[in-house]
Amino acid sequence: MVEDGDQYSALSELDAKGLKGKKKDQGKSYSTLVYSVTDIPPWYLCILLGIQHYLTALGGLVAIPLILSKELCLQHDPLTQGHLISTIFFVSGICTLLQVLFGVRLPILQGGTFAFLTPSLAMLSLPNWRCPAWTQNASQVNVTSPEFIEVWQSRMRELQGAIMVAACFQIFVGFSGLIGFLMRFIGPLTISPTITLVALPLFNSAGDEAGSHWGISAMAIFFIVLFSQYLKNVPVPLPSYHGSRKCHFSKVYLFQIFPVLLALAITWLICFALTVTNTFPSDPAAYGYLARTDIKGDVLSQAPWFRFPYPGQWGVPTISLAGVFGIIAGVISSMVESVGDYYACARLSGAPPPPKHAISRGIGVEGIGCLLAGAWGTGNGTTSYSENVGALGITRVGSRIVIIAGGCVLLVIGMFGKIGAVFASIPTPLIGGLLLVMFGIITAVGVSNLQFVDMNSSRNLFIFGFSIFAGLAIPNWVNKNSEVLETGILQLDQVIRVLLTTGMFVGGFLGFILDNTIPGMIKCNNLALCFLNSPDNDTSLVGVSVQTGAHLLLEFKCHIL
């Protein structure tokens, strides 16, 4: 820890007050930093910027529990959804503090990952974990009955056990240094189909949510696009105070930093107005009813003000081989993304490229974070958040103290039950609009990795095209014809089904095998050196949660063997 601290301290050329300065490395000019990785901004600035990082990560932190809730049979229990949201906030805060203080020691936020979502949904789609028909009918669900509680908690405990065992694999890969060895064989033609197939299979879920009222979903999408794309370079004058200038107005790129939050607030307010005026139908069977804001209104009154999440709050985790193998596929994808985020974060925060031991330690600590997430029962793991890395490029504040403040904000907010309940009451079509944008960007980032491959090559075209198409076709066929693959051994049947219905595993595995066996594979030079030689990234923040930093990992020069 001291070694890395000295390494980062040695490169700060800023004065004690964090005045702006320029730095050059290998003949290239880097962006001006207000505070570098080892600087300490004023306490009030740390808190404000920490809250900003929390709000930036909000989309993914809220979306993951809401997507899982349907497969956990919780779609008619918004109060428990709120508890899950609060738990993921709390655990993300713990994981962030562990990573910044003991892991890679860079200003990087930790939170839930969509890479775990696809195998989790595949596991919960097994016949023995499908939700009973009566849980789909709101009139038949008594959320306080022991029978209903056991239905959803048994599924959550199964997820917890799989995540905790898979986390042990990540801890081993990280602290043993195997991550460096594995990265030698993972190239763009493996990463691209893997990331693309994280989002593509979820089109049905996003479409169902958005289709509950396409007008509201389209409105949410419109505001997100307006703020994040058209108005991102428009500054907004806001009142501020500084010792030398007293009260004055400062220009803040508000739309660039909080496009999703602003779109969510405006569309939610419009839904509230249309609900009060009874523009939306009051009949539960009518189209557009789910856009009303009073459907889940009682969740706010039911939720406690304070609720402390704790390990084992849903019971003792259970373990099945099928779930473990599926989640391990998500762990591998998550590790690749995080390595890319470490390099991007180092460059944007004014730190040197992280050494191999720091990367290994960071991956190991992420494994510990996944272990804690499984123990607490978030239904998900943890990974580095790419959009918060992008926020560093916007604010030009790369201080670790700011991210520590952000982690503390997550911890505190996770203990306020009312806050989780507020997000659990978001109207369904509004969630659908958010998911359409979010999954679209994840898909596009996956495809964007192909810019580092010669796509005029028939070899590369074949590998990518076949991997993507097989990653969609094989899971679809297995879901419809699972009895054909039955071996008579229940555990083996479940493992085969979970793996073959997880598109990211199928596509990523085929891409990995083909890319490493067909002649002409891409081999990359020294990772740190090549990353520094890569072209500057557009660090504009889209504002949605996209845990897809793997594309940054591949921004280095490659050559053909």
Side-chain angles (χ1 to χ4, degrees), residues 237-257:
L238 295 177
S240 61
Y241 178 86
H242 191 274
S244 60
R245 300 178 60 186
K246 302 299 181 182
C247 293
H248 64 282
F249 283 90
S250 298
K251 292 183 178 180
V252 179
Y253 291 89
L254 206 61
F255 300 120
Q256 189 180 55
I257 300 173

Side-chain angles (χ1 to χ4, degrees), residues 233-478:
N233 294 322
V234 177
V236 178
L238 295 177
S240 61
Y241 178 86
H242 191 274
S244 60
R245 300 178 60 186
K246 302 299 181 182
C247 293
H248 64 282
F249 283 90
S250 298
K251 292 183 178 180
V252 179
Y253 291 89
L254 206 61
F255 300 120
Q256 189 180 55
I257 300 173
F258 304 125
V260 171
L261 185 65
L262 292 172
L264 183 69
I266 294 173
T267 311
W268 204 343
L269 187 61
I270 293 174
C271 286
F272 175 75
L274 295 177
T275 300
V276 171
T277 58
N278 283 322
T279 303
F280 291 136
S282 56
D283 180 9
Y287 179 79
Y289 173 76
L290 293 178
R292 296 183 65 93
T293 56
D294 56 0
I295 299 175
K296 308 174 183 177
D298 57 345
V299 69
L300 286 175
S301 59
Q302 295 174 0
W305 276 104
F306 299 99
R307 180 182 178 276
F308 188 79
Y310 58 92
Q313 58 185 331
W314 318 128
V316 179
T318 57
I319 299 173
S320 68
L321 284 177
V324 170
F325 278 99
I327 299 296
I328 284 177
V331 164
I332 295 172
S333 174
S334 175
M335 287 191 294
V336 174
E337 296 171 16
S338 293
V339 172
D341 285 335
Y342 296 162
Y343 282 93
C345 183
R347 182 165 61 175
L348 292 175
S349 63
K356 290 181 180 180
H357 64 269
I359 292 176
S360 297
R361 194 172 60 238
I363 294 299
V365 169
E366 281 195 18
I368 294 175
C370 289
L371 189 65
L372 296 178
W376 257 265
T378 65
N380 200 254
T382 184
T383 191
S384 300
Y385 265 34
S386 305
E387 66 272 27
N388 288 86
V389 175
L392 298 177
I394 294 172
T395 62
R396 307 303 179 198
V397 175
S399 172
R400 279 190 300 230
I401 300 297
V402 168
I403 301 299
I404 290 174
C408 293
V409 168
L410 284 168
L411 269 175
V412 172
I413 287 179
M415 291 186 284
F416 282 88
K418 296 288 186 185
I419 295 179
V422 167
F423 292 115
S425 63
I426 299 175
T428 300
L430 187 49
I431 297 171
L434 176 65
L435 295 182
L436 284 176
V437 175
M438 192 179 303
F439 293 154
I441 293 175
I442 294 175
T443 302
V445 170
V447 175
S448 72
N449 288 296
L450 297 177
Q451 66 184 295
F452 309 110
V453 177
D454 179 14
M455 292 310 290
N456 290 319
S457 165
S458 59
R459 169 194 182 274
N460 297 337
L461 285 172
F462 166 75
I463 294 174
F464 176 73
F466 177 71
S467 299
I468 287 288
F469 200 79
L472 293 171
I474 292 177
N476 182 63
W477 183 87
V478 173

Side-chain angles (χ1 to χ4, degrees), residues 502-517:
T502 303
M504 58 175 284
F505 168 78
V506 175
F509 178 76
L510 290 174
F512 174 80
I513 295 297
L514 295 174
D515 192 29
N516 284 278
T517 56

Side-chain angles (χ1 to χ4, degrees), residues 30 32 42 79 96 120 124 192 211 218 228 262 303 355 373 419 456 461 465 540:
Y30 279 77
T32 303
L79 180 60
T96 297
S120 297
L124 293 174
S192 188
S228 67
L262 292 172
I419 295 179
N456 290 319
L461 285 172
S540 61

